Amino acid sequence: VQDQRFTQGRPDVLCFETDPLEDDVTVAGSMKVKLFGSTSGTDCDWVARLIDVYPEENRNNPLLNGFQLLIAGEPLRGRFRKSYETPEPIKPGAVEEYTIDLVQGHHRFRKGHKIMVQVSSTWFPLIDRNPQKYVPNIFEAEDSDFQKATQRVYHTPKFASRVELDVLSGKEEKK
């Protein structure tokens, strides 16, 4: 329940958010981030976080002014983008599709709140560091295996990175 504002504005974190919601939005079910990205390395991590951004002014509880509540967050190690059984290196510079499953969830984003998605390539110390270089076993990586890499996220008509949420609308469900 820690306020997530400490990550917003960091140069290694992309933030996308809606305008203030005109009505409540209830998410119930599947929550996924479909990301098109590339790396200059041969392995990388992608981390997606779904956040409820409270209004800047909250008269009932000023401590919640602009609060950013983490709803769901999950990492995906690039080597497992196609299969968890058969990891494989990434071709440097190649645009690949990564599906980050935020698991099933249920949350109501209230009117006046914003929906934010943050994308980064690390969540250390919550998950271990990725050397950015494909090695057979990350837990046996040598210091020399760790290298600097640049990750890019694409959002073009051809490479349409997006969030997919099951949204309830009255008794009907939309996707």
Side-chain angles (χ1 to χ4, degrees):
V1 295
Q2 182 181 9
D3 190 344
Q4 299 296 298
R5 282 183 281 195
F6 69 96
T7 60
Q8 188 177 16
R10 284 181 28 182
D12 61 333
V13 178
L14 287 176
C15 293
F16 302 93
E17 70 180 4
T18 65
D19 290 331
L21 299 173
E22 295 182 13
D23 296 300
D24 287 358
V25 174
T26 303
V27 176
S30 177
M31 302 184 298
K32 293 181 181 178
V33 174
K34 298 276 188 158
L35 189 73
F36 287 90
S38 66
T39 180
S40 61
T42 54
D43 196 9
C44 69
D45 291 337
W46 295 102
V47 178
R49 292 180 292 277
L50 180 65
I51 296 171
D52 185 341
V53 181
Y54 286 55
E56 287 300 322
E57 187 175 320
N58 188 328
R59 292 181 185 153
N60 294 334
N61 188 347
L63 293 175
L64 294 178
N65 288 351
F67 189 85
Q68 294 182 4
L69 177 64
L70 180 65
I71 304 306
E74 291 292 329
L76 174 67
R77 189 139 280 163
R79 65 180 50 227
F80 299 117
R81 69 200 177 282
K82 296 179 183 175
S83 164
Y84 286 108
E85 292 79 25
T86 312
E88 63 181 61
I90 301 167
K91 181 180 175 188
V95 179
E96 299 259 4
E97 182 175 10
Y98 300 87
T99 300
I100 305 168
D101 189 350
L102 297 177
V103 191
Q104 301 281 325
H106 186 272
H107 181 76
R108 175 169 290 150
F109 295 90
R110 297 288 184 180
K111 177 180 177 178
H113 290 219
K114 298 177 186 178
I115 300 172
M116 176 187 283
V117 175
Q118 291 184 347
V119 177
S120 64
S121 64
T122 185
W123 208 357
F124 183 80
L126 294 178
I127 62 168
D128 59 330
R129 294 182 312 137
N130 188 318
Q132 312 300 322
K133 174 183 174 185
Y134 185 87
V135 293
N137 184 338
I138 270 186
F139 302 110
E140 296 174 358
E142 303 288 331
D143 287 345
S144 61
D145 292 325
F146 286 82
Q147 63 184 27
K148 183 178 179 181
T150 300
Q151 276 68 255
R152 290 188 167 85
V153 174
Y154 296 80
H155 47 91
T156 66
K158 183 177 179 183
F159 301 116
S161 294
R162 62 195 177 276
V163 179
E164 295 180 353
L165 304 171
D166 287 340
V167 177
L168 296 180
S169 173
K171 293 183 180 181
E172 299 175 358
E173 191 169 305
K174 293 183 190 178
K175 193 164 191 174

Short mmCIF file of all heavy atoms in Angstrom, two decimals, residues 121-169:
data_model
loop_
_atom_site.label_atom_id
_atom_site.label_comp_id
_atom_site.label_asym_id
_atom_site.label_seq_id
_atom_site.Cartn_x
_atom_site.Cartn_y
_atom_site.Cartn_z
N SER A 121 12.26 -1.50 -16.38
CA SER A 121 12.98 -2.74 -16.68
C SER A 121 13.67 -3.32 -15.45
O SER A 121 14.53 -4.18 -15.58
CB SER A 121 14.01 -2.50 -17.80
OG SER A 121 14.99 -1.59 -17.36
N THR A 122 13.27 -2.86 -14.28
CA THR A 122 13.77 -3.45 -13.05
C THR A 122 12.77 -3.20 -11.93
O THR A 122 11.99 -2.25 -11.99
CB THR A 122 15.15 -2.90 -12.67
OG1 THR A 122 15.63 -3.60 -11.52
CG2 THR A 122 15.10 -1.42 -12.37
N TRP A 123 12.82 -4.07 -10.94
CA TRP A 123 12.03 -3.89 -9.73
C TRP A 123 12.87 -4.35 -8.54
O TRP A 123 12.40 -4.96 -7.60
CB TRP A 123 10.71 -4.67 -9.81
CG TRP A 123 9.58 -4.10 -9.02
CD1 TRP A 123 9.61 -3.01 -8.19
CD2 TRP A 123 8.24 -4.57 -8.98
NE1 TRP A 123 8.38 -2.79 -7.64
CE2 TRP A 123 7.51 -3.75 -8.12
CE3 TRP A 123 7.58 -5.61 -9.59
CZ2 TRP A 123 6.17 -3.94 -7.84
CZ3 TRP A 123 6.25 -5.79 -9.32
CH2 TRP A 123 5.55 -4.96 -8.47
N PHE A 124 14.16 -4.03 -8.65
CA PHE A 124 15.10 -4.39 -7.60
C PHE A 124 14.83 -3.53 -6.38
O PHE A 124 14.56 -2.35 -6.53
CB PHE A 124 16.54 -4.17 -8.11
CG PHE A 124 17.59 -4.59 -7.13
CD1 PHE A 124 17.93 -5.92 -7.00
CD2 PHE A 124 18.22 -3.66 -6.32
CE1 PHE A 124 18.88 -6.32 -6.09
CE2 PHE A 124 19.17 -4.04 -5.41
CZ PHE A 124 19.52 -5.37 -5.29
N PRO A 125 14.79 -4.05 -5.19
CA PRO A 125 15.20 -5.37 -4.75
C PRO A 125 14.07 -6.40 -4.67
O PRO A 125 14.28 -7.48 -4.15
CB PRO A 125 15.77 -5.10 -3.36
CG PRO A 125 14.91 -3.99 -2.82
CD PRO A 125 14.57 -3.14 -4.04
N LEU A 126 12.88 -6.08 -5.20
CA LEU A 126 11.78 -7.06 -5.15
C LEU A 126 12.06 -8.28 -6.03
O LEU A 126 11.62 -9.38 -5.73
CB LEU A 126 10.46 -6.42 -5.53
CG LEU A 126 9.95 -5.36 -4.55
CD1 LEU A 126 8.65 -4.75 -5.05
CD2 LEU A 126 9.76 -5.93 -3.16
N ILE A 127 12.72 -8.06 -7.15
CA ILE A 127 13.17 -9.18 -7.98
C ILE A 127 14.67 -9.00 -8.20
O ILE A 127 15.19 -7.88 -8.11
CB ILE A 127 12.42 -9.28 -9.32
CG1 ILE A 127 12.62 -8.05 -10.19
CG2 ILE A 127 10.94 -9.55 -9.12
CD1 ILE A 127 12.16 -8.21 -11.61
N ASP A 128 15.35 -10.08 -8.49
CA ASP A 128 16.80 -10.03 -8.68
C ASP A 128 17.15 -9.23 -9.93
O ASP A 128 16.33 -9.02 -10.82
CB ASP A 128 17.37 -11.44 -8.76
CG ASP A 128 16.78 -12.27 -9.88
OD1 ASP A 128 15.60 -12.03 -10.23
OD2 ASP A 128 17.46 -13.15 -10.41
N ARG A 129 18.40 -8.77 -9.98
CA ARG A 129 18.86 -8.00 -11.13
C ARG A 129 19.09 -8.92 -12.33
O ARG A 129 19.56 -10.03 -12.19
CB ARG A 129 20.17 -7.27 -10.81
CG ARG A 129 20.00 -6.21 -9.76
CD ARG A 129 21.29 -5.45 -9.47
NE ARG A 129 22.41 -6.36 -9.27
CZ ARG A 129 23.62 -6.17 -9.79
NH1 ARG A 129 23.88 -5.11 -10.53
NH2 ARG A 129 24.60 -7.03 -9.57
N ASN A 130 18.77 -8.41 -13.50
CA ASN A 130 19.01 -9.12 -14.75
C ASN A 130 20.33 -8.60 -15.30
O ASN A 130 20.52 -7.40 -15.39
CB ASN A 130 17.86 -8.84 -15.72
CG ASN A 130 17.93 -9.69 -16.97
OD1 ASN A 130 18.99 -9.89 -17.54
ND2 ASN A 130 16.79 -10.18 -17.40
N PRO A 131 21.23 -9.49 -15.74
CA PRO A 131 22.51 -8.99 -16.27
C PRO A 131 22.38 -8.29 -17.62
O PRO A 131 23.35 -7.72 -18.10
CB PRO A 131 23.37 -10.25 -16.38
CG PRO A 131 22.43 -11.40 -16.36
CD PRO A 131 21.21 -10.94 -15.62
N GLN A 132 21.21 -8.32 -18.25
CA GLN A 132 20.97 -7.74 -19.57
C GLN A 132 21.69 -8.51 -20.68
O GLN A 132 21.72 -8.08 -21.82
CB GLN A 132 21.36 -6.25 -19.64
CG GLN A 132 20.84 -5.40 -18.52
CD GLN A 132 19.32 -5.38 -18.40
OE1 GLN A 132 18.60 -5.37 -19.38
NE2 GLN A 132 18.84 -5.38 -17.18
N LYS A 133 22.26 -9.62 -20.29
CA LYS A 133 22.98 -10.51 -21.21
C LYS A 133 22.44 -11.91 -20.95
O LYS A 133 22.34 -12.34 -19.79
CB LYS A 133 24.48 -10.44 -20.91
CG LYS A 133 25.32 -11.43 -21.68
CD LYS A 133 26.78 -11.31 -21.24
CE LYS A 133 27.63 -12.38 -21.88
NZ LYS A 133 29.02 -12.33 -21.36
N TYR A 134 22.10 -12.62 -22.01
CA TYR A 134 21.57 -13.96 -21.84
C TYR A 134 22.68 -14.87 -21.32
O TYR A 134 23.76 -14.99 -21.91
CB TYR A 134 21.03 -14.52 -23.16
CG TYR A 134 20.39 -15.86 -22.99
CD1 TYR A 134 19.05 -15.96 -22.64
CD2 TYR A 134 21.11 -17.04 -23.14
CE1 TYR A 134 18.44 -17.19 -22.45
CE2 TYR A 134 20.51 -18.27 -22.95
CZ TYR A 134 19.18 -18.35 -22.61
OH TYR A 134 18.59 -19.56 -22.42
N VAL A 135 22.41 -15.48 -20.20
CA VAL A 135 23.28 -16.51 -19.63
C VAL A 135 22.37 -17.70 -19.32
O VAL A 135 21.18 -17.51 -19.04
CB VAL A 135 24.02 -16.03 -18.36
CG1 VAL A 135 25.03 -14.94 -18.69
CG2 VAL A 135 23.05 -15.54 -17.30
N PRO A 136 22.89 -18.92 -19.36
CA PRO A 136 22.02 -20.08 -19.15
C PRO A 136 21.27 -20.05 -17.82
O PRO A 136 20.11 -20.45 -17.75
CB PRO A 136 22.99 -21.27 -19.21
CG PRO A 136 24.12 -20.77 -20.05
CD PRO A 136 24.25 -19.31 -19.74
N ASN A 137 21.92 -19.55 -16.76
CA ASN A 137 21.28 -19.49 -15.45
C ASN A 137 21.64 -18.16 -14.80
O ASN A 137 22.79 -17.94 -14.45
CB ASN A 137 21.75 -20.67 -14.58
CG ASN A 137 21.06 -20.72 -13.24
OD1 ASN A 137 20.52 -19.72 -12.75
ND2 ASN A 137 21.07 -21.89 -12.63
N ILE A 138 20.65 -17.29 -14.66
CA ILE A 138 20.90 -15.96 -14.10
C ILE A 138 21.52 -16.03 -12.71
O ILE A 138 22.32 -15.19 -12.33
CB ILE A 138 19.59 -15.14 -14.11
CG1 ILE A 138 19.49 -14.39 -15.42
CG2 ILE A 138 19.47 -14.22 -12.94
CD1 ILE A 138 18.36 -13.44 -15.53
N PHE A 139 21.17 -17.04 -11.95
CA PHE A 139 21.68 -17.17 -10.58
C PHE A 139 23.16 -17.53 -10.54
O PHE A 139 23.79 -17.46 -9.50
CB PHE A 139 20.84 -18.17 -9.78
CG PHE A 139 19.39 -17.78 -9.74
CD1 PHE A 139 18.44 -18.51 -10.43
CD2 PHE A 139 18.97 -16.65 -9.04
CE1 PHE A 139 17.10 -18.14 -10.41
CE2 PHE A 139 17.64 -16.27 -9.02
CZ PHE A 139 16.71 -17.02 -9.70
N GLU A 140 23.70 -17.92 -11.68
CA GLU A 140 25.13 -18.23 -11.77
C GLU A 140 25.88 -17.18 -12.59
O GLU A 140 27.03 -17.40 -12.98
CB GLU A 140 25.31 -19.62 -12.38
CG GLU A 140 24.74 -20.72 -11.51
CD GLU A 140 24.78 -22.10 -12.15
OE1 GLU A 140 25.24 -22.22 -13.31
OE2 GLU A 140 24.36 -23.06 -11.50
N ALA A 141 25.25 -16.04 -12.85
CA ALA A 141 25.90 -14.97 -13.64
C ALA A 141 27.12 -14.44 -12.90
O ALA A 141 27.09 -14.25 -11.68
CB ALA A 141 24.91 -13.84 -13.93
N GLU A 142 28.17 -14.21 -13.65
CA GLU A 142 29.40 -13.62 -13.12
C GLU A 142 29.28 -12.10 -13.16
O GLU A 142 28.47 -11.56 -13.93
CB GLU A 142 30.60 -14.06 -13.97
CG GLU A 142 30.79 -15.57 -14.07
CD GLU A 142 31.30 -16.19 -12.78
OE1 GLU A 142 32.02 -15.48 -12.03
OE2 GLU A 142 30.98 -17.36 -12.52
N ASP A 143 30.09 -11.42 -12.37
CA ASP A 143 30.09 -9.95 -12.41
C ASP A 143 30.31 -9.44 -13.83
O ASP A 143 29.72 -8.44 -14.24
CB ASP A 143 31.17 -9.38 -11.48
CG ASP A 143 30.80 -9.52 -10.01
OD1 ASP A 143 29.61 -9.80 -9.71
OD2 ASP A 143 31.70 -9.36 -9.17
N SER A 144 31.16 -10.12 -14.59
CA SER A 144 31.47 -9.69 -15.96
C SER A 144 30.29 -9.86 -16.91
O SER A 144 30.29 -9.30 -18.01
CB SER A 144 32.68 -10.46 -16.49
OG SER A 144 32.40 -11.85 -16.51
N ASP A 145 29.27 -10.64 -16.53
CA ASP A 145 28.08 -10.83 -17.38
C ASP A 145 27.15 -9.62 -17.33
O ASP A 145 26.35 -9.42 -18.24
CB ASP A 145 27.30 -12.07 -16.94
CG ASP A 145 28.05 -13.36 -17.22
OD1 ASP A 145 28.75 -13.43 -18.26
OD2 ASP A 145 27.93 -14.30 -16.41
N PHE A 146 27.22 -8.83 -16.27
CA PHE A 146 26.32 -7.68 -16.11
C PHE A 146 26.78 -6.55 -17.01
O PHE A 146 27.95 -6.17 -17.00
CB PHE A 146 26.25 -7.25 -14.64
CG PHE A 146 25.46 -8.20 -13.80
CD1 PHE A 146 26.03 -9.36 -13.30
CD2 PHE A 146 24.12 -7.95 -13.54
CE1 PHE A 146 25.30 -10.25 -12.53
CE2 PHE A 146 23.37 -8.84 -12.77
CZ PHE A 146 23.97 -10.00 -12.27
N GLN A 147 25.85 -6.01 -17.81
CA GLN A 147 26.17 -4.94 -18.75
C GLN A 147 25.04 -3.93 -18.80
O GLN A 147 23.90 -4.22 -18.42
CB GLN A 147 26.42 -5.53 -20.14
CG GLN A 147 25.19 -6.21 -20.74
CD GLN A 147 25.46 -6.88 -22.07
OE1 GLN A 147 26.58 -7.29 -22.35
NE2 GLN A 147 24.45 -6.97 -22.89
N LYS A 148 25.35 -2.76 -19.26
CA LYS A 148 24.36 -1.72 -19.46
C LYS A 148 23.57 -2.03 -20.74
O LYS A 148 24.14 -2.50 -21.72
CB LYS A 148 25.05 -0.36 -19.59
CG LYS A 148 24.12 0.80 -19.72
CD LYS A 148 24.92 2.10 -19.79
CE LYS A 148 23.98 3.27 -19.95
NZ LYS A 148 24.73 4.54 -20.03
N ALA A 149 22.26 -1.78 -20.70
CA ALA A 149 21.43 -1.99 -21.89
C ALA A 149 20.35 -0.92 -21.92
O ALA A 149 19.99 -0.34 -20.90
CB ALA A 149 20.78 -3.37 -21.87
N THR A 150 19.86 -0.67 -23.11
CA THR A 150 18.79 0.30 -23.31
C THR A 150 17.54 -0.43 -23.77
O THR A 150 17.59 -1.19 -24.74
CB THR A 150 19.19 1.35 -24.37
OG1 THR A 150 20.37 2.02 -23.91
CG2 THR A 150 18.08 2.36 -24.60
N GLN A 151 16.43 -0.22 -23.05
CA GLN A 151 15.15 -0.79 -23.43
C GLN A 151 14.29 0.31 -24.04
O GLN A 151 14.32 1.46 -23.58
CB GLN A 151 14.42 -1.37 -22.21
CG GLN A 151 14.83 -2.78 -21.85
CD GLN A 151 16.25 -2.90 -21.35
OE1 GLN A 151 17.09 -3.38 -22.08
NE2 GLN A 151 16.54 -2.47 -20.14
N ARG A 152 13.53 -0.05 -25.07
CA ARG A 152 12.61 0.90 -25.71
C ARG A 152 11.21 0.28 -25.76
O ARG A 152 11.07 -0.91 -26.01
CB ARG A 152 13.07 1.21 -27.13
CG ARG A 152 14.32 2.05 -27.18
CD ARG A 152 14.63 2.51 -28.61
NE ARG A 152 15.63 3.54 -28.60
CZ ARG A 152 16.93 3.32 -28.58
NH1 ARG A 152 17.39 2.09 -28.58
NH2 ARG A 152 17.79 4.32 -28.58
N VAL A 153 10.21 1.12 -25.54
CA VAL A 153 8.82 0.72 -25.64
C VAL A 153 8.23 1.40 -26.87
O VAL A 153 8.44 2.60 -27.09
CB VAL A 153 8.02 1.13 -24.38
CG1 VAL A 153 6.54 0.84 -24.57
CG2 VAL A 153 8.56 0.41 -23.16
N TYR A 154 7.50 0.64 -27.67
CA TYR A 154 6.91 1.15 -28.91
C TYR A 154 5.40 1.28 -28.76
O TYR A 154 4.76 0.42 -28.15
CB TYR A 154 7.24 0.21 -30.08
CG TYR A 154 8.72 0.15 -30.37
CD1 TYR A 154 9.56 -0.66 -29.59
CD2 TYR A 154 9.29 0.89 -31.38
CE1 TYR A 154 10.92 -0.71 -29.83
CE2 TYR A 154 10.65 0.85 -31.64
CZ TYR A 154 11.46 0.04 -30.85
OH TYR A 154 12.81 0.00 -31.08
N HIS A 155 4.86 2.33 -29.31
CA HIS A 155 3.40 2.50 -29.33
C HIS A 155 3.04 3.21 -30.64
O HIS A 155 2.75 4.39 -30.70
CB HIS A 155 2.88 3.23 -28.09
CG HIS A 155 3.63 4.47 -27.71
ND1 HIS A 155 3.29 5.71 -28.17
CD2 HIS A 155 4.70 4.64 -26.93
CE1 HIS A 155 4.13 6.61 -27.70
NE2 HIS A 155 5.00 5.99 -26.94
N THR A 156 3.09 2.41 -31.70
CA THR A 156 2.76 2.86 -33.05
C THR A 156 1.62 1.97 -33.56
O THR A 156 1.29 0.96 -32.93
CB THR A 156 3.98 2.69 -33.98
OG1 THR A 156 4.28 1.29 -34.12
CG2 THR A 156 5.20 3.43 -33.44
N PRO A 157 1.01 2.32 -34.69
CA PRO A 157 -0.04 1.43 -35.21
C PRO A 157 0.46 0.00 -35.44
O PRO A 157 -0.25 -0.97 -35.15
CB PRO A 157 -0.44 2.10 -36.53
CG PRO A 157 -0.15 3.55 -36.30
CD PRO A 157 1.11 3.57 -35.46
N LYS A 158 1.69 -0.17 -35.89
CA LYS A 158 2.23 -1.50 -36.14
C LYS A 158 2.59 -2.21 -34.84
O LYS A 158 2.41 -3.42 -34.71
CB LYS A 158 3.46 -1.41 -37.04
CG LYS A 158 4.05 -2.75 -37.41
CD LYS A 158 5.22 -2.62 -38.35
CE LYS A 158 5.80 -3.99 -38.68
NZ LYS A 158 6.98 -3.88 -39.54
N PHE A 159 3.11 -1.48 -33.88
CA PHE A 159 3.53 -2.03 -32.59
C PHE A 159 2.73 -1.34 -31.49
O PHE A 159 3.22 -0.44 -30.82
CB PHE A 159 5.03 -1.84 -32.37
CG PHE A 159 5.88 -2.49 -33.43
CD1 PHE A 159 6.69 -1.72 -34.24
CD2 PHE A 159 5.87 -3.87 -33.62
CE1 PHE A 159 7.48 -2.31 -35.22
CE2 PHE A 159 6.66 -4.47 -34.58
CZ PHE A 159 7.46 -3.68 -35.40
N ALA A 160 1.49 -1.76 -31.34
CA ALA A 160 0.53 -1.08 -30.46
C ALA A 160 0.61 -1.62 -29.03
O ALA A 160 -0.18 -2.48 -28.63
CB ALA A 160 -0.88 -1.21 -31.02
N SER A 161 1.56 -1.12 -28.26
CA SER A 161 1.61 -1.46 -26.84
C SER A 161 0.32 -0.99 -26.20
O SER A 161 -0.21 0.08 -26.56
CB SER A 161 2.80 -0.80 -26.16
OG SER A 161 4.01 -1.31 -26.66
N ARG A 162 -0.20 -1.77 -25.25
CA ARG A 162 -1.50 -1.42 -24.69
C ARG A 162 -1.75 -2.16 -23.38
O ARG A 162 -1.03 -3.10 -23.04
CB ARG A 162 -2.61 -1.75 -25.67
CG ARG A 162 -2.71 -3.24 -26.00
CD ARG A 162 -3.56 -3.51 -27.22
NE ARG A 162 -3.61 -4.91 -27.58
CZ ARG A 162 -2.70 -5.54 -28.30
NH1 ARG A 162 -1.64 -4.90 -28.74
NH2 ARG A 162 -2.84 -6.81 -28.59
N VAL A 163 -2.79 -1.74 -22.70
CA VAL A 163 -3.28 -2.40 -21.50
C VAL A 163 -4.61 -3.04 -21.87
O VAL A 163 -5.45 -2.41 -22.52
CB VAL A 163 -3.48 -1.39 -20.35
CG1 VAL A 163 -4.01 -2.08 -19.11
CG2 VAL A 163 -2.18 -0.67 -20.06
N GLU A 164 -4.80 -4.28 -21.45
CA GLU A 164 -6.07 -4.98 -21.68
C GLU A 164 -6.67 -5.32 -20.33
O GLU A 164 -6.08 -6.08 -19.55
CB GLU A 164 -5.85 -6.24 -22.51
CG GLU A 164 -5.37 -5.95 -23.92
CD GLU A 164 -5.15 -7.20 -24.76
OE1 GLU A 164 -5.24 -8.33 -24.21
OE2 GLU A 164 -4.89 -7.05 -25.95
N LEU A 165 -7.83 -4.73 -20.05
CA LEU A 165 -8.51 -4.93 -18.78
C LEU A 165 -9.93 -5.40 -19.04
O LEU A 165 -10.60 -4.89 -19.96
CB LEU A 165 -8.57 -3.62 -17.99
CG LEU A 165 -7.25 -2.92 -17.69
CD1 LEU A 165 -7.51 -1.53 -17.11
CD2 LEU A 165 -6.42 -3.75 -16.74
N ASP A 166 -10.42 -6.33 -18.24
CA ASP A 166 -11.83 -6.70 -18.28
C ASP A 166 -12.56 -5.68 -17.42
O ASP A 166 -12.34 -5.61 -16.20
CB ASP A 166 -12.06 -8.11 -17.75
CG ASP A 166 -11.59 -9.19 -18.70
OD1 ASP A 166 -11.45 -8.88 -19.91
OD2 ASP A 166 -11.37 -10.32 -18.28
N VAL A 167 -13.40 -4.87 -18.07
CA VAL A 167 -14.11 -3.78 -17.38
C VAL A 167 -15.58 -4.12 -17.30
O VAL A 167 -16.20 -4.51 -18.31
CB VAL A 167 -13.90 -2.44 -18.13
CG1 VAL A 167 -14.69 -1.32 -17.48
CG2 VAL A 167 -12.41 -2.10 -18.18
N LEU A 168 -16.17 -3.99 -16.11
CA LEU A 168 -17.60 -4.21 -15.92
C LEU A 168 -18.36 -2.93 -16.24
O LEU A 168 -17.96 -1.84 -15.85
CB LEU A 168 -17.91 -4.62 -14.49
CG LEU A 168 -17.34 -5.93 -14.02
CD1 LEU A 168 -17.74 -6.20 -12.57
CD2 LEU A 168 -17.81 -7.08 -14.89
N SER A 169 -19.44 -3.09 -16.94
CA SER A 169 -20.31 -1.95 -17.26
C SER A 169 -21.72 -2.39 -16.91
O SER A 169 -22.39 -3.05 -17.70
CB SER A 169 -20.20 -1.60 -18.74
OG SER A 169 -21.15 -0.61 -19.07
#
